[in-house]
Amino acid sequence: MTEENECARPAEQHATGGGDGRRASARIAGVLRDRVHEGVLKVGERMPTQAALAREFGVERGAVRQALQVLRAEGFLGPARRGVPPRVTRPRRDPAHQDAATREPQGTLVALGPRLVRAFEERAVRIDVLTLTAESLIPAVSEAVIAVHHGSLRPGSVTARILLPSRSTRLAFPAAVAEEEREAVRRRWLRMRDAQARVLRRALTGLGHSHGVEVSVEFRTVPFTPPVKLYLLNGAEALFAYYLVARSEDGADGLPGMFDTWGTQARLFRFETAPGGRDAAFVGEAHDWFESLWTTISEPLGLEE
């Protein structure tokens, strides 16, 4: 079975599932905060304008303003002057971003970006992913891609393999509470899945055109709803999170009552091969599990441009 003609081409945008302004501002603040930590936004430089950030993230300027207010309260931004973007600063103490040292689990949107950037420090980058959509993966990959454009990272090759649910799967989530709404919700998820996959593929293949990086991006589908999300980085690190399902009420974000999950908040647990013992065993087993799915029950996902 092939999925070459699954659905009509959606609008070219980063579909995120209709999050409200609070979620959008939290997402923007998380991405900008990580850029400071990774040196993409350097201390002393001015933040991009609100208009530029609104265009980049595809949101209204109000969401950008809220994100900047959060960063200023955390000490990441200096004083603001009308018409002049604030300068980037670094807070003296930032416990929310010490996961590299403490290995405490953090929300996907916060934790994934720095780990992807670290993975791109290798000459041969390999990323294997099992996920419901690419919503969390897109901003994380964007962090690494921006660092490559700025010259701080110089990978020679990038290989990405992504497993997503197939269109024929009766999804456990997202799913409408009312049976008559279930097909509409499924089609909405399908449009999101394909739109986000296109954005992700374009971001990575663009490195080949602009920097001569050898890039391979492949999507395949599996016939089930992933209960977890898994990121395998360079065969040496595994990031694992559970999808926590909740019921939303009718009318929330203009959608029917649904059983759904907000994957960007799922807490990522990090395992690495370096310490040996259980961590190394988990990474090895996770890699074998992914490989078994990829080589047996998965099928190609065709994405028409």
Side-chain angles (χ1 to χ4, degrees):
M1 178 183 69
T2 181
E3 302 199 2
E4 289 290 335
N5 298 305
E6 293 185 307
C7 63
R9 178 183 179 182
E12 295 297 332
Q13 60 183 4
H14 175 189
T16 60
D20 57 19
R22 181 183 60 79
R23 292 181 177 182
S25 63
R27 174 172 65 89
I28 296 167
V31 171
L32 296 178
R33 190 186 297 112
D34 290 339
R35 289 179 184 176
V36 175
H37 282 284
E38 297 300 324
V40 177
L41 288 173
K42 294 179 172 56
V43 174
E45 292 183 348
R46 292 201 181 277
M47 182 70 64
T49 65
Q50 292 183 17
L53 291 173
R55 287 193 299 270
E56 176 185 351
F57 290 99
V59 298
E60 298 294 331
R61 291 180 64 172
V64 173
R65 284 194 294 271
Q66 292 177 19
L68 297 180
Q69 289 171 1
V70 170
L71 294 178
R72 185 172 293 110
E74 294 175 350
F76 284 92
L77 296 178
R81 290 190 298 155
R82 182 178 294 276
V84 180
R87 293 190 183 277
V88 176
T89 59
R90 185 182 294 278
R92 293 182 180 178
R93 187 170 182 268
D94 184 23
H97 282 76
Q98 294 176 357
D99 65 302
T102 65
R103 303 178 74 244
E104 289 295 325
Q106 301 288 334
T108 303
L109 198 60
V110 172
L112 187 57
R115 304 317 305 169
L116 258 294
V117 170
R118 183 67 58 86
F120 268 66
E121 293 177 355
E122 301 292 332
R123 285 293 295 170
V125 181
R126 186 177 189 89
I127 306 168
D128 292 333
V129 179
L130 170 68
T131 184
L132 186 65
T133 70
E135 179 180 1
S136 300
L137 191 56
I138 290 173
V141 167
S142 296
E143 292 295 290
V145 169
I146 290 171
V148 174
H149 288 319
H150 285 200
S152 58
L153 296 176
R154 297 179 177 83
S157 66
V158 176
T159 301
R161 301 187 300 175
I162 296 94
L163 285 173
L164 297 161
S166 70
R167 68 172 304 171
S168 59
T169 299
R170 182 180 172 90
L171 294 173
F173 53 86
V177 174
E179 184 64 33
E180 61 271 19
E181 299 280 4
R182 282 184 174 257
E183 181 60 20
V185 170
R186 189 192 72 85
R187 289 187 178 278
R188 172 179 171 275
W189 163 82
L190 187 62
R191 290 193 297 270
M192 288 172 52
R193 185 202 68 175
D194 288 359
Q196 293 170 2
R198 290 188 184 93
V199 171
L200 180 61
R201 182 175 64 182
R202 192 173 298 113
L204 288 173
T205 56
L207 293 177
H209 304 307
S210 60
H211 296 276
V213 180
E214 183 180 343
V215 178
S216 172
V217 184
E218 189 174 358
F219 296 89
R220 295 179 71 88
T221 64
V222 287
F224 61 85
T225 307
V228 299
K229 56 170 61 181
L230 175 68
Y231 306 92
L232 299 170
L233 308 180
N234 294 335
E237 185 173 15
L239 304 173
F240 176 91
Y242 293 98
Y243 281 116
L244 300 182
V245 182
R247 175 173 174 167
S248 64
E249 298 301 324
D250 290 341
D253 295 333
L255 299 172
M258 295 172 59
F259 299 108
D260 201 1
T261 178
W262 190 20
T264 58
Q265 286 189 325
R267 299 174 71 198
L268 277 181
F269 293 82
R270 182 163 64 90
F271 302 85
E272 54 189 338
T273 57
R278 291 188 177 186
D279 264 27
F282 183 91
V283 174
E285 195 75 5
H287 180 272
D288 290 346
W289 182 55
F290 181 92
E291 201 67 34
S292 71
L293 297 175
W294 187 269
T295 58
T296 57
I297 62 174
S298 71
E299 297 179 348
L301 171 61
L303 295 170
E304 298 178 355
E305 290 291 350

